[in-house]
Amino acid sequence: MAKPVEPEDLAAYSFLSEPSLSPDGSFAALSVHRALLDKDEYEGNLWIVPTAGGEPRQLTTAGKDSAPKVSPDGKRILFTSKRDIGKDEKGNSLYVIPTDGGEARLLLRRKEGIEGPAWSPDGRRALFLSNVGEDEEDVRTIRRINFWFNDKGFIYNVRKHVFLIDLETKEVKQLTKGEFDVTKAAWSHAGRQIAYVAQTDDRRPYLQDLLIYDVGSKKKSQLTKHNMEIASVAWSPDDGQLAFLGNDFPRGFASHNHLWLVGASGSAPTRLDDLDRSLQNGLNSDVRLGGVNSDPKWVGDRIYHLVAEGGSVHLRALHVRDRKAETIVGGDRSVEAFQANAKGIVFTAMAIAAPAELYALRGDVRQLTEFNGETRKKLAIRKPEAFTFKASDGATIDAWILGPAKKGKVPTILYVHGGPKTAFGNSYLHEFQVFAAKGYAVLFTNPRGSDGYSEDFADIRGHYGERDYLDLMEAVDFASSKYPFVDSKRLAVAGGSYGGFMTNWVVTQTDRFKAAVTDRSISSWWTFWGTSDIGPSFGRDQIGADPWDDEEATLAKSPLRHVKNVTTPLLLVHSLEDLRCWHVEAIQFFTALRYYGKKAEMVLFPKENHDLSRGGKPKHRVARLHAYLRWFGTHLS
C-alpha cells in the first residue's frame, strides 16, 4: 500500500538532467541525481538509455558526475564532475569516458569552475565556460556594480569567458578576454567559428550581445546592437545564419522570449515566431536540480523550441522557409529539456502528479525510462484538479486544487508562485504533496503577472498588489464555493520570492487568513533596490522608478509600509546567503511585526541561497518543510 508523502521523501525522487542524443539517434546520455539525507548531499551518475527500447545502463558510479555530452562519433562522452574535488573545495573537473564503459579520463580540473562543455565537430577539442579572476575572500575593495550574484557570491573581481581544450594534449587556451561575461557559446557545424553571447554592461546586465569568434584568425565580430536580452543561440546547418531566443523589451521584464534570426555575416535580427507566448519553461517544480533547458535546436529546415502555453510547456517545430509552426509534443505536461538531430528527438518531461522521465519522439511519444517509477508506486501521490474561473474584470484564470486524502472540511493553503513571471501547472511539486498528505488542501493559481499567457496578462509592472491580489482573493472565493472540503474559516497563504512578497502584501490587506508563511520575500522595494543582485534593474522595471525619484510609489508598494495592519500569524523563512532577496527583507519585517506585538517567528538557514527550496542541502530542504507544517499545525488546527 502506498504511503503518505513525508518531507523526507525528497530522497525518493530521481532528478534528470538535460539529455544528450547520439549522432545516430540510437541512445541518449543523461545524469541522474538523488538526494542523500544521511550524507546531506546529492549523488549524480551518468546513464545510457537506448532510444528504441531496452534497459537503461548506468555508466558511472562515482556519485559526483553530471552534464554528459555525446561525442560527434558517438564513442565518447564529456562530462563535468566533482569526484576529485574535496567537500570544501571550489570548482569541478572535466572528464571523458568511452560510451561502452571503462575508466573515465581526467582532462582538466579548475577551481574557477567548468560550465557548458561542447565538443568540436571533429571531436578533437571542446569549448567550455569558466571564470577568470578570484574573490579576495577577506578585505574586499569593490569598484563595480553587480558585485555579487545569488548562488555565486561575490563576483566583482570575476569574469566568465570561453576556453578551448585539446582533448589529446590537454592544452587549454582562453579565447575571449575583457571586462564582460560570456553566458552561452556554440560551435559552428564546420568548426571554424564559435558564436557566443556576452553581457558587456554592468549597469544594464539584462542586455546581451551575440558575437562570433573566428577560431583561425582569432577575430571577433558583433552581430547585435546592445538592445536585446539574448538567452541562447543555435547555428543554421550551413553556418550562414543563427537563431536565438531573446526579446527587445517591449514590456520590460514582462516581455516574452521569442525566436529571432540573424545572418552570420551581419544583418538586423528578424523575429521568426508570431506567438504571444514565451518560448521557455517557467513552470515551478522542486524536483529538478537544474534539468531545464530551453535552447532552440536547428535541424534541416526546422528549428525546435519550447513554448509555454497556460499551465503546460510544449515542444514546437518552426519551418524556417515558410515560417509555419506545429506542436510536435503537446498535452498536459512540462517538457523540461530536449535534444534533436537528423536521426531523432529525445526529451525529458514531467506531469502534475509525476516527476520527470526521458521520452523519445518516434512517430508518437514513447517513454524510455522509469527512474521515478518505484517512487510513484511507493508514495500516495495525489493528482490536483484543474479548473478555471472568471475574474471580476472578465479574464479567465487557470487554477488547480490538490485535495487531501481525508474527508470533510479541511484547512486550505493558498500558495503563490515566484517570479512573478513564472507559472504553476503540469509540473510536479513535492512540497504540495507533503501538505496534502498532512491533511491540507492546496490551492494554486496563475494570476495576472504569470507566464504562459499573453504579454498583457504578464505585465503588472507598477501595479503589484492590485489585479494580481484580486485574482488570488477571487480564486479563494471561487474554490470555497466550488469545493465543499475547503474550510474558508481555516485558510493559510504562503509563497516564495514574488510569492513571498505577495504573502507579505496579503496579510497587510486582509485578515481572512489564519496563518501565513513568507519565504525568501521582499518587504521593502527601497532596500531591495540597493541590496539585491538584480535590485537596480529589476526594481526600477517593476516599480517604475528608482526609489528617490518616486519615494511614495516605492513605499506604497512595500508591505513594510503597512505592517501595522497585520493580524495573521506570520512565519518568515529566509536563507542567509540569499543575494536575490537579501535576508534584510525578512529581518526588518520580522522586527517590525514583533515591535508592534504581532505573532511572528523567523527561521534562518545558514549557507543557503535563494534556491533553498529547489536545490538547497537535503537536510535544510526537509527542515524547511517541517517548519511550514509546524506553523500550519499550530494556527490552523
Side-chain angles (χ1 to χ4, degrees):
M1 182 177 177
K3 64 178 282 294
V5 182
E6 297 285 346
E8 289 77 7
D9 288 318
L10 175 70
Y13 304 108
S14 292
F15 311 117
L16 275 58
S17 75
E18 175 189 2
S20 178
L21 183 61
S22 65
D24 63 2
S26 65
F27 70 88
L30 74 165
S31 56
V32 180
H33 285 75
R34 295 177 71 89
L36 303 179
L37 292 179
D38 56 340
K39 296 182 179 180
D40 199 21
E41 63 185 25
Y42 296 95
E43 173 188 71
N45 290 300
L46 307 188
W47 289 73
I48 299 291
V49 181
T51 58
E55 288 297 314
R57 171 170 57 91
Q58 188 169 344
L59 187 62
T60 66
T61 59
K64 302 288 186 179
D65 306 333
S66 59
K69 298 292 188 298
V70 182
S71 65
D73 62 5
K75 296 180 180 180
R76 296 167 294 165
I77 293 176
L78 273 177
F79 65 96
T80 55
S81 180
K82 284 182 171 286
R83 58 172 66 190
D84 54 352
I85 304 295
K87 191 170 184 179
D88 296 324
E89 289 183 301
K90 295 181 179 180
N92 61 349
S93 300
L94 184 65
Y95 279 84
V96 64
I97 188 172
T99 304
D100 56 5
E103 288 296 318
R105 182 167 67 99
L106 174 65
L107 297 173
L108 178 67
R109 182 185 298 119
R110 276 184 69 85
K111 65 180 180 180
E112 298 87 356
I114 298 170
E115 300 177 22
W119 291 92
S120 65
D122 62 10
R124 297 168 55 188
R125 298 164 295 176
L127 66 77
F128 62 89
L129 304 184
S130 184
N131 288 332
V132 177
E134 189 173 6
D135 179 22
E136 295 165 317
E137 294 188 351
D138 189 15
V139 177
R140 295 179 169 94
T141 302
I142 300 171
R143 296 184 176 88
R144 73 173 224 198
I145 199 170
N146 295 332
F147 54 86
W148 60 14
F149 199 83
N150 187 66
D151 192 31
K152 297 178 182 178
F154 284 95
I155 60 170
Y156 66 95
N157 206 29
V158 173
R159 295 295 188 180
K160 186 175 292 182
H161 284 291
V162 183
F163 288 77
L164 196 64
I165 181 170
D166 185 298
L167 301 187
E168 188 60 37
T169 66
K170 300 184 183 180
E171 180 185 6
V172 177
K173 296 179 180 179
Q174 182 179 337
L175 301 188
T176 61
K177 297 180 181 180
E179 290 301 310
F180 59 90
D181 295 287
V182 177
T183 59
K184 292 278 185 177
W187 286 98
S188 65
H189 293 88
R192 299 189 185 97
Q193 298 170 300
I194 295 172
Y196 64 97
V197 179
Q199 179 179 301
T200 58
D201 186 348
D202 289 334
R203 294 182 60 196
R204 296 185 295 173
Y206 47 88
L207 295 177
Q208 294 88 30
D209 280 303
L210 179 58
L211 300 97
I212 291 179
Y213 177 89
D214 188 283
V215 178
S217 69
K218 301 181 182 180
K219 294 180 179 179
K220 66 178 183 180
S221 56
Q222 184 170 318
L223 302 183
T224 56
K225 297 183 178 180
H226 203 59
N227 57 358
M228 301 186 74
E229 178 182 35
I230 301 175
S232 57
V233 62
W235 287 89
S236 64
D238 65 359
D239 291 340
Q241 297 174 298
L242 298 104
F244 65 88
L245 285 183
N247 67 79
D248 53 1
F249 297 99
R251 290 179 178 264
F253 290 127
S255 303
H256 289 339
N257 270 348
H258 294 289
L259 191 62
W260 300 76
L261 187 67
V262 64
S265 59
S267 63
T270 58
R271 183 173 149 186
L272 290 174
D273 72 286
D274 59 359
L275 297 171
D276 191 7
R277 295 292 183 271
S278 196
L279 308 190
Q280 61 186 17
N281 189 327
L283 293 181
N284 285 257
S285 175
D286 54 5
V287 293
R288 274 190 183 129
L289 280 185
V292 181
N293 191 328
S294 300
D295 292 356
K297 313 295 186 298
W298 195 331
V299 182
D301 186 45
R302 290 181 164 194
I303 300 175
Y304 297 93
H305 63 85
L306 300 185
V307 58
E309 298 185 296
S312 296
V313 176
H314 296 150
L315 179 59
R316 285 169 58 95
L318 184 142
H319 296 261
V320 179
R321 280 197 197 92
D322 57 17
R323 307 289 173 92
K324 291 183 180 179
E326 59 180 321
T327 298
I328 59 173
V329 177
D332 294 334
R333 63 171 58 128
S334 168
V335 178
E336 300 284 288
F338 71 98
Q339 284 291 335
N341 62 27
K343 299 297 183 179
I345 297 173
V346 292
F347 63 93
T348 53
M350 65 173 70
I352 200 167
E357 298 291 352
L358 181 67
Y359 298 82
L361 187 62
R362 289 176 170 266
D364 57 358
V365 173
R366 296 180 54 187
Q367 184 172 332
L368 301 178
T369 65
E370 279 286 351
F371 287 116
N372 283 296
E374 285 302 313
T375 298
R376 295 199 307 273
K377 294 175 184 177
K378 181 179 76 172
L379 301 181
I381 295 171
R382 302 184 63 78
K383 184 176 182 179
E385 178 181 334
F387 66 92
T388 62
F389 67 93
K390 288 285 186 182
S392 54
D393 64 351
T396 299
I397 306 297
D398 287 336
W400 295 261
I401 192 161
L402 179 58
K406 62 189 295 186
K407 295 183 179 180
K409 285 189 174 296
V410 297
T412 300
I413 303 165
L414 170 66
Y415 207 103
V416 189
H417 65 63
K421 201 170 183 284
T422 69
F424 284 134
N426 294 301
S427 55
Y428 187 85
L429 281 151
H430 169 62
E431 183 170 346
F432 290 2
Q433 295 292 334
V434 168
F435 297 153
K438 295 298 183 183
Y440 301 100
V442 185
L443 171 64
F444 50 109
T445 182
N446 288 340
R448 247 59 69 93
S450 301
D451 200 16
Y453 309 92
S454 69
E455 279 190 344
D456 183 63
F457 189 97
D459 193 356
I460 58 170
R461 294 174 300 156
H463 299 284
Y464 275 43
E466 297 174 18
R467 186 64 254 180
D468 50 350
Y469 170 76
L470 292 176
D471 286 350
L472 292 167
M473 296 305 101
E474 290 167 12
V476 174
D477 295 338
F478 185 89
S480 298
S481 64
K482 179 178 175 63
Y483 297 98
F485 57 80
V486 173
D487 188 343
S488 59
K489 295 182 179 179
R490 288 188 295 166
L491 296 172
V493 59
S497 198
Y498 162 78
F501 163 85
M502 279 307 302
T503 298
N504 294 341
W505 185 260
V506 165
V507 297
T508 66
Q509 305 299 307
T510 179
D511 61 0
R512 73 187 298 182
F513 296 93
K514 304 306 178 187
V517 182
T518 182
D519 205 325
R520 58 192 186 279
S521 70
I522 296 173
S523 63
S524 167
W525 285 104
W526 189 287
T527 50
F528 175 85
W529 191 100
T531 60
S532 169
D533 59 353
I534 61 171
S537 54
F538 187 80
R540 179 183 176 87
D541 180 74
Q542 299 297 289
I543 295 301
D546 293 328
W548 37 85
D549 291 334
D550 195 337
E551 293 185 14
E552 180 54 34
T554 304
L555 295 174
K557 294 297 182 183
S558 297
L560 190 61
R561 157 75 78 86
H562 314 285
V563 67
K564 291 182 181 180
N565 299 338
V566 176
T567 60
T568 304
L570 182 65
L571 175 67
L572 300 96
V573 177
H574 223 98
S575 297
L576 289 176
E577 294 183 12
D578 185 344
L579 304 183
R580 184 62 36 85
C581 299
W582 201 37
H583 56 264
V584 67
E585 299 298 329
I587 291 171
Q588 64 187 348
F589 203 52
F590 171 76
T591 301
L593 288 166
R594 297 301 296 149
Y595 179 79
Y596 288 113
K598 313 292 185 179
K599 291 182 180 179
E601 287 186 19
M602 184 165 58
V603 177
L604 300 176
F605 287 88
K607 297 182 179 180
E608 297 289 359
N609 60 60
H610 198 66
D611 299 322
L612 165 62
S613 66
R614 301 171 290 247
K617 292 180 179 178
K619 287 185 179 179
H620 281 166
R621 293 177 67 178
V622 170
R624 171 183 169 274
L625 291 179
H626 278 297
Y628 272 65
L629 292 172
R630 177 182 60 80
W631 194 252
F632 292 148
T634 299
H635 298 285
L636 296 178
S637 61

